Amino acid sequence: MAVHDFRSQRVFVEHDLAANSRFEASREQANYLLNVLRIPDGGSILIFNGRDGEWRAEIEAIGRKKCNLKPTELVRKQTAPYSLRYCFAPLKQGRLDYMVQKAVEMGVGVLQPVITQYTQVRSINESRLRANAIEAAEQCGILNIPDIKPIIPLSELVETMGTSNTLVFCDEERPHVSAINKFESKTDLTLLIGPEGGFSDEERTLIQTSPNVARLGLGPRILRADTAAVAALAILQSSIGDWYPSTNC
Ligand code: SAH
C-alpha cells in the first residue's frame, strides 16, 4: 500500500484543522488551486498545518479568485517533528533556496544558519527560507515544517553543544575520514557544513572542543556546500537515519 497519497496536491495552511470546519484560502493559494491547477469547485486536496495531521479538504470556489477549504477527513495523524539539526553557512540566494529545499526533503527538522569566518553572505531572509521549506514539505509529503532558527556565530553553536548532542562535522580537509560508526546516540544529531570558502584552521580547532564530534568525509573531490549537504544527509539517513528503519535498529 502506498505510504502516502502522492497524487493529491498538498497545501500547507496556518489554520487549525478539524472536521467540518471551513476557512478561506489565502489569495495566493486560491489562485494556485483555481487558476493554475484548475481544481473545480467541489474538488479535493490534502492540507496540513504541522499540528493537526493531514486532512482531505474540499474546495468551495467563490468566483475565480477566492475559495474556502473545508477539511472533511483526517488522512494521516500528526507525526513528531524530525530531530536532525542542519547547521549551514548561508550561501548566495539561488543556492541557498536549493540547499534548504534539499535539506527538508532529506529529513532535517531544524535549520540553523551559522556565520563562519569565510561566510560570504552574512544575513538570511528568514521568510524566504520558510517559503522554501514549506514548498519542499508540500512536495515531499511530510507533516511538519522544519524549525528555522535565527542566525548565530559558529562559536555560539559550539558553546551550546551538550553531551547528548553529536556534532557531525564535514571537514573538506579530512575527506577520507568517516566516524559514522562511532556514534553513541542516533538522536540529537547536528550536521555542520561550511561555506563556499570552507573552514579556517581556527574553526577546526574550535569545533573539536565540542563534547561529541564525528568527522564525516565526503570523498576525494571538493563538493560545493549545497552538494555536500545532500551527500552528507544521504550518508546519515541511510546509515543511522530513517531511510531503512528495519536495519538501523
Ligand atoms: N570552494 C567550494 C567548496 C567549499 S567546501 C565552493 O565554492 O563551494 C564547502 C563545505 O562543504 C566544506 O566546508 C565542507 O563542510 C563540505 N565539503 C565539501 N567537500 C567535502 C569533502 N570532500 N569532504 C568533507 N566535507 C566536504
Side-chain angles (χ1 to χ4, degrees):
M1 184 186 87
V3 168
H4 166 67
D5 170 0
F6 287 103
R7 281 176 298 283
S8 295
Q9 183 65 35
R10 298 182 77 239
V11 173
F12 175 78
V13 296
E14 301 287 354
H15 292 271
D16 292 338
L17 301 176
N20 302 318
S21 60
R22 69 161 46 79
F23 56 89
E24 188 174 330
S26 70
R27 291 184 69 81
E28 297 77 19
Q29 288 170 337
N31 179 58
Y32 180 61
L33 295 171
L34 299 176
N35 303 316
V36 176
L37 297 181
R38 297 182 180 281
I39 299 176
D41 180 37
S44 80
I45 58 169
L46 294 173
I47 58 177
F48 66 105
N49 62 7
R51 303 183 300 279
D52 302 325
E54 181 177 70
W55 287 74
R56 186 160 297 288
E58 188 179 313
I59 292 178
E60 298 175 339
I62 311 165
R64 286 172 41 83
K65 293 189 185 305
K66 290 168 70 173
C67 68
N68 284 335
L69 296 175
K70 184 181 156 194
T72 56
E73 176 199 1
L74 178 64
V75 174
R76 284 193 288 164
K77 288 190 176 148
Q78 185 59 43
T79 51
Y82 296 128
S83 62
L84 178 53
R85 179 168 58 155
Y86 171 48
C87 302
F88 58 95
L91 304 172
K92 294 184 184 72
Q93 202 54 61
R95 287 173 65 190
L96 185 61
D97 293 347
Y98 171 88
M99 186 167 74
V100 166
Q101 296 218 10
K102 298 313 126 188
V104 172
E105 292 171 52
M106 299 296 274
V108 162
V110 179
L111 291 166
Q112 175 61 72
V114 175
I115 294 284
T116 70
Q117 194 171 334
Y118 300 144
T119 300
Q120 292 168 16
V121 176
R122 313 296 286 183
S123 64
I124 52 154
N125 177 334
E126 287 197 13
S127 58
R128 180 165 176 155
L129 214 145
R130 177 169 169 79
N132 276 298
I134 288 172
E135 186 179 332
E138 290 173 337
Q139 179 273 327
C140 72
I142 60 176
L143 298 182
N144 295 284
I145 304 299
D147 185 8
I148 297 170
K149 298 295 188 185
I151 197 164
I152 57 172
L154 177 64
S155 54
E156 184 177 330
L157 173 71
V158 172
E159 280 156 21
T160 54
M161 291 299 294
T163 50
S164 67
N165 302 119
T166 298
L167 176 59
V168 179
F169 164 41
C170 289
D171 182 356
E172 70 280 5
E173 294 203 348
R174 301 287 296 276
H176 302 298
V177 171
S178 173
I180 283 277
N181 51 14
K182 90 165 198 182
F183 293 155
E184 285 71 39
S185 81
K186 298 191 175 177
T187 56
D188 267 350
L189 280 184
T190 294
L191 172 64
L192 173 61
I193 301 267
E196 282 97 337
F199 289 108
S200 68
D201 288 339
E202 295 78 16
E203 287 172 331
R204 282 188 180 81
T205 305
L206 173 68
I207 292 165
Q208 299 294 346
T209 63
S210 302
N212 303 308
V213 181
R215 270 197 166 94
L216 176 59
L218 299 176
R221 289 163 292 280
I222 290 290
L223 308 179
R224 279 190 175 277
D226 39 338
T227 313
V230 178
L233 288 167
I235 293 169
L236 287 179
Q237 293 293 31
S238 61
S239 56
I240 59 170
D242 65 3
W243 280 7
Y244 313 115
S246 56
T247 55
N248 288 340
C249 48

